[in-house]
């Protein structure tokens, strides 16, 4: 984990105060990076992952049921 800083993230549930976490994993075949945004009430609201091959997967929380 490289850092954990507070930031605001605009979501379908409104603007949330989130903890930003950047992580890097390295192995013999390459490196992958993750930026995650965590809210105390909703949990992870966004995850932006860069895979070893350079492709990206972005996951956004669309709704909650609580």
């Amino acid at each position: 984990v490289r850092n954990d800083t507070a930031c605001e993230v605009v979501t379908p549930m409104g603007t949330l105060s989130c903890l930003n976490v950047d992580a890097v994993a390295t192995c013999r075949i390459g490196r992958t990076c993750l930026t995650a945004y965590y809210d105390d009430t909703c949990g992870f609201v966004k995850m932006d992952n860069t895979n070893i091959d350079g492709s990206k997967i972005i996951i956004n929380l669309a709704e909650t049921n609580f």
Side-chain angles (χ1 to χ4, degrees):
V1 176
R2 292 189 302 197
N3 67 15
D4 54 345
T5 57
C7 65
E8 291 190 344
V9 177
V10 178
T11 73
M13 288 75 60
T15 301
L16 302 174
S17 179
C18 294
L19 182 64
N20 169 287
V21 179
D22 291 320
V24 175
T26 304
C27 68
R28 63 178 177 79
I29 62 171
R31 172 182 157 146
T32 182
C33 301
L34 171 70
T35 300
Y37 301 88
Y38 182 83
D39 173 73
D40 286 337
T41 302
C42 296
F44 287 101
V45 297
K46 182 175 182 178
M47 293 190 288
D48 184 345
N49 187 46
T50 303
N51 298 306
I52 290 172
D53 65 0
S55 63
K56 292 184 73 72
I57 298 173
I58 299 172
I59 300 170
N60 291 297
L61 180 64
E63 66 180 271
T64 60
N65 291 322
F66 53 83

